[in-house]
Amino acid sequence: MAASARYLRYILFAFFCVAVLYFISSSSSVPRTRLPSPSAIIDEQKSKWRTETPSPGNETASLLEAPTTDGYPEIPDVPSGLSAPADGKMNATFVTLARNSDVWDIARSIRQVEDRFNRNYHYDWVFLNDKPFDETFIKVTKSLISGNVKYGEIPKEHWSFPDFVDQDRAAKVRKEMKEKKIIYGDSVSYRHMCRYESGFFFRHPLMLDYEWYWRVEPSIELFCDIPYDTFRFMAEHGKKYSFVLSLYEYVETIQTLWDSSKKYIKNHPEHIAEDNTMGFLSDDGGETYNHCHFWSNFEIGNLNWLRSKAYIDYFESLDRDGGFFYERWGDAPVHSIAAALTLKRDEIHFFNDIAYYHVPFTHCPTSEQVRLDNKCHCNPKDNFDWKGYSCTSRYFDINKLEKPEGYQNQQD
């Protein structure tokens, strides 16, 4: 009976992984790749999966500092004494990493954000690209956004191989991953993107005047009105990182990420927060990683946390180990592990009332009253939170949070 239950879990995980791979393969930001079959996923992964539960502006900028002697660009000085604008808004911005070809997909996202939230607050929006934005992208996005709009080009040194990476070794790994049909296993640009989101977007000069960010990606949907200032909520309640969806990472892409993280823990005990969220990451006190992470295509966070020595030391430790290129480490587990280790558990927030969709997963509030109060149009049957391959239930359990009435009806 137990073996049958485990086998069923593997089957569910297989279809989950196929859904994730479909989402990634449908992205316009990176090359397409052929998906592995469910049976192949089961054969390759079953021994590794865990079974536990006022008018817009047009500004451009790039960061052109030469690398320092240790291989890293200097972090520009952040203006001191950052404060809320005179109109009472928080010092915050939306931020999107996009290519010119993403224009119509990001237009959809902008309309969602503006209609459900930003039409009341008019926060700025920063767009970043490793190439100059074209006239169409700028014209379309500016026309849709009620706040100031800024466009920045990513400097080459943040979107290239650092000099300490063995490129022959990295190329060999990409070839091996391609042969194993690991999603984006042979993609260089995908690795640059993950490294940039992990360690550099908050260093861009356009981001330096802000304290808070909300990450938005193409083709997302917001199902509910957001009748309050999320940035102010974060600040007034002492929150520094937030999420709406969580899930297990694809094992083959992060095989040594936890080893590198443990090395950071050993070398920097001063950065590990008391009352942290290790229980979200590990079932055995940190010896192994259960692969849970917050899905970072949605995150609202504090930029000063990302600029902190604790976070920078973590990123640079990981970067030196080379896993962004020798494996295929994603920014989602990097952000998640850093938040769980360096922040107190009450500094991480689950935005239950922000109903959100990014292919292929939906967060829809379980409570009917929340959905009615906020004019939601999501189908609660699509809610991912309480499925077996979501990690949100684990987050509730380790934080001793009461699960909403009716959550049992949305489980597997």
Side-chain angles (χ1 to χ4, degrees), residues 14-235:
F15 285 102
F16 154 67
C17 286
V18 169
V20 172
L21 300 182
Y22 170 79
F23 139 64
I24 299 174
S25 70
S26 65
S27 171
S28 61
S29 299
V30 286
R32 295 182 183 273
T33 197
R34 188 160 62 95
L35 301 180
S37 66
S39 60
I41 294 174
I42 293 175
D43 291 341
E44 293 175 5
Q45 298 288 71
K46 66 182 180 181
S47 66
K48 303 165 187 173
W49 284 330
R50 304 188 66 84
T51 58
E52 301 87 349
T53 320
S55 62
N58 177 8
E59 303 179 29
T60 59
S62 62
L63 186 59
L64 303 175
E65 291 84 2
T68 61
T69 54
D70 65 358
Y72 289 96
E74 293 283 359
I75 302 175
D77 291 334
V78 178
S80 61
L82 293 176
S83 59
D87 58 7
K89 293 189 299 184
M90 298 299 293
N91 200 352
T93 186
F94 297 98
V95 60
T96 296
L97 181 63
R99 293 178 173 173
N100 290 310
S101 57
D102 294 324
V103 60
W104 302 114
D105 292 329
I106 195 60
R108 173 184 172 183
S109 298
I110 293 168
R111 280 260 47 104
Q112 296 286 323
V113 173
E114 287 289 329
D115 292 348
R116 289 297 197 173
F117 173 78
N118 204 40
R119 63 188 176 89
N120 296 319
Y121 298 100
H122 316 300
Y123 278 109
D124 294 359
W125 206 306
V126 173
F127 292 97
L128 301 174
N129 189 354
D130 64 314
K131 300 291 191 298
F133 283 106
D134 63 27
E135 182 180 356
T136 298
F137 189 98
I138 293 173
K139 182 167 56 178
V140 170
T141 53
K142 281 179 63 178
S143 72
L144 296 172
I145 296 169
S146 61
N148 293 310
V149 192
K150 305 178 184 182
Y151 303 89
E153 186 173 350
I154 298 168
K156 183 177 180 180
E157 62 267 26
H158 290 176
W159 198 274
S160 58
F161 291 96
D163 55 13
F164 52 81
V165 167
D166 182 340
Q167 293 203 42
D168 290 336
R169 177 184 172 188
K172 182 179 179 181
V173 169
R174 293 196 302 273
K175 181 180 178 182
E176 292 172 351
M177 284 192 169
K178 181 178 181 179
E179 292 171 353
K180 294 178 181 179
K181 298 180 172 60
I182 295 174
I183 193 73
Y184 294 139
D186 63 336
S187 174
V188 174
S189 63
Y190 191 84
R191 286 171 168 82
H192 290 324
M193 181 273 291
C194 290
R195 181 173 180 256
Y196 184 77
E197 292 280 25
S198 296
F200 296 106
F201 84 91
F202 51 89
R203 310 189 199 202
H204 195 284
L206 292 180
M207 298 296 293
L208 294 180
D209 288 335
Y210 299 103
E211 292 184 7
W212 301 92
Y213 74 100
W214 179 336
R215 177 170 164 179
V216 179
E217 294 202 353
S219 299
I220 60 100
E221 187 163 4
L222 295 177
F223 295 104
C224 304
D225 286 348
I226 305 171
Y228 62 95
D229 188 332
T230 56
F231 300 114
R232 185 171 297 281
F233 173 89
M234 294 280 286

Side-chain angles (χ1 to χ4, degrees), residues 211-380:
E211 292 184 7
W212 301 92
Y213 74 100
W214 179 336
R215 177 170 164 179
V216 179
E217 294 202 353
S219 299
I220 60 100
E221 187 163 4
L222 295 177
F223 295 104
C224 304
D225 286 348
I226 305 171
Y228 62 95
D229 188 332
T230 56
F231 300 114
R232 185 171 297 281
F233 173 89
M234 294 280 286
E236 293 181 351
H237 290 82
K239 308 298 183 180
K240 295 183 179 179
Y241 188 80
S242 64
F243 72 101
V244 293
L245 287 163
S246 67
L247 60 153
Y248 292 91
E249 179 61 298
Y250 189 57
V251 178
E252 297 289 347
T253 66
I254 55 164
Q255 291 193 4
T256 67
L257 176 59
W258 191 245
D259 291 335
S260 292
S261 298
K262 288 167 69 176
K263 182 171 69 174
Y264 166 80
I265 295 170
K266 180 180 179 180
N267 292 340
H268 293 284
E270 73 277 10
H271 293 333
I272 308 306
E274 295 183 7
D275 195 29
N276 59 50
T277 319
M278 174 67 83
F280 180 73
L281 306 174
S282 177
D283 307 326
D284 52 19
E287 183 61 30
T288 60
Y289 179 33
N290 59 28
H291 308 120
C292 279
H293 68 282
F294 307 122
W295 214 22
S296 61
N297 50 68
F298 171 98
E299 53 186 13
I300 301 175
N302 184 279
L303 288 161
N304 290 332
W305 167 60
L306 292 175
R307 297 169 184 139
S308 69
K309 183 170 175 54
Y311 185 86
I312 295 296
D313 282 350
Y314 180 62
F315 169 72
E316 292 186 355
S317 178
L318 296 186
D319 203 27
R320 284 289 181 180
D321 287 344
F324 292 106
F325 299 103
Y326 301 146
E327 295 181 13
R328 205 221 65 193
W329 294 350
D331 57 278
V334 171
H335 284 192
S336 301
I337 294 172
L341 294 178
T342 69
L343 298 178
K344 296 179 181 179
R345 65 178 62 212
D346 62 3
E347 293 178 317
I348 301 174
H349 181 66
F350 171 57
F351 272 110
N352 177 59
D353 52 351
I354 299 182
Y356 174 83
Y357 171 78
H358 188 299
V359 176
F361 300 122
T362 296
H363 164 64
C364 183
T366 302
S367 166
E368 181 183 43
Q369 194 60 53
V370 170
R371 299 195 303 271
L372 294 175
D373 290 345
N374 295 303
K375 301 178 176 60
C376 304
H377 69 278
C378 56
N379 185 343

